[in-house]
Amino acid sequence: MIWKALLQIPVGLWKRMKGNGADITPQRAVNLSAFMGRWYEQARLENVFEAGLDKVYSDYEAMGDTKFRVCNNGTDDKGRSRRSHGMGSIKDPAHPGAMRVSFVPPYGWFSAPFLVLYTDADYREALIAGSGGHYLWLMTREQHPDRTRINRLLAEARHRGFNTHELRRTRQ
């Protein structure tokens, strides 16, 4: 019984590293300057960085053609504001939807994938993923968007293989 349990540890780690099987291929054409500004989180796959947070939004500020600042904001269940600052960059200008972000100073020594999977033509809605598809965010420019936008993002997430029943709706 103990050996069986011990064998499950490397299997679990392998599955975690492999990903969830979702298609996290970034959108081919992403205009970094159009992406900048405020985005409101509408739903996410819950993660340790944002556990329990609501009223979540992110502000992006360009710093040249391939680098940007990001400030994530949210409110915990006691009404306290939580904020994290980071830096991001496009590593390969030929693939602008495949970015990297770091929230650990000095920024850059530890960074994680930040993949723009989808944006509409006007940059009013976006689907963002992280490493292995274990992270997913549905973002809009409006704090309270109409249901059509949310449904479009959910459909795109399902189309890419994400289990949208696992999403946590963010209360704005």
Side-chain angles (χ1 to χ4, degrees):
M1 194 78 131
I2 293 172
W3 286 107
K4 187 175 183 181
L6 288 174
L7 288 174
Q8 293 302 313
I9 294 170
V11 169
L13 288 172
W14 179 78
K15 284 182 180 178
R16 182 78 179 160
M17 289 171 57
K18 185 180 112 189
N20 66 6
D23 175 8
I24 58 170
T25 305
Q27 182 171 299
R28 291 188 62 73
V30 174
N31 179 333
L32 186 62
S33 64
F35 188 84
M36 295 296 104
R38 179 161 290 179
W39 289 93
Y40 292 94
E41 180 185 280
Q42 300 302 322
R44 68 175 176 265
L45 288 176
E46 191 65 287
N47 59 70
V48 298
F49 312 112
E50 296 177 282
L53 294 182
D54 282 307
K55 298 180 182 171
V56 178
Y57 64 92
S58 299
D59 291 318
Y60 296 87
E61 179 187 354
M63 298 177 58
D65 293 339
T66 61
K67 295 184 185 293
F68 58 91
R69 282 190 194 117
V70 59
C71 181
N72 292 333
N73 303 273
T75 303
D76 68 16
D77 59 353
K78 292 182 172 46
R80 293 177 296 210
S81 180
R82 300 290 183 213
R83 181 170 283 136
S84 61
H85 297 275
M87 299 292 290
S89 64
I90 296 172
K91 292 298 179 190
D92 180 358
H95 302 285
M99 303 178 200
R100 304 231 13 126
V101 294
S102 175
F103 291 94
V104 181
Y107 303 110
W109 72 270
F110 178 79
S111 65
F114 180 88
L115 308 167
V116 180
L117 304 183
Y118 162 82
T119 61
D120 65 322
D122 298 324
Y123 289 81
R124 306 300 305 159
E125 57 197 52
L127 189 64
I128 310 296
S131 181
H134 296 293
Y135 302 99
L136 184 70
W137 295 272
L138 281 67
M139 310 290 283
T140 63
R141 295 293 190 174
E142 297 83 26
Q143 189 172 11
H144 303 286
D146 63 53
R147 193 69 199 161
T148 305
R149 288 200 187 283
I150 302 299
N151 289 340
R152 207 168 18 244
L153 290 168
L154 288 169
E156 179 66 23
R158 279 191 296 275
H159 171 74
R160 286 173 167 271
F162 286 95
N163 181 352
T164 56
H165 297 294
E166 294 178 354
L167 291 172
R168 179 198 186 276
R169 180 70 193 240
T170 307
R171 289 185 298 265
Q172 288 292 344

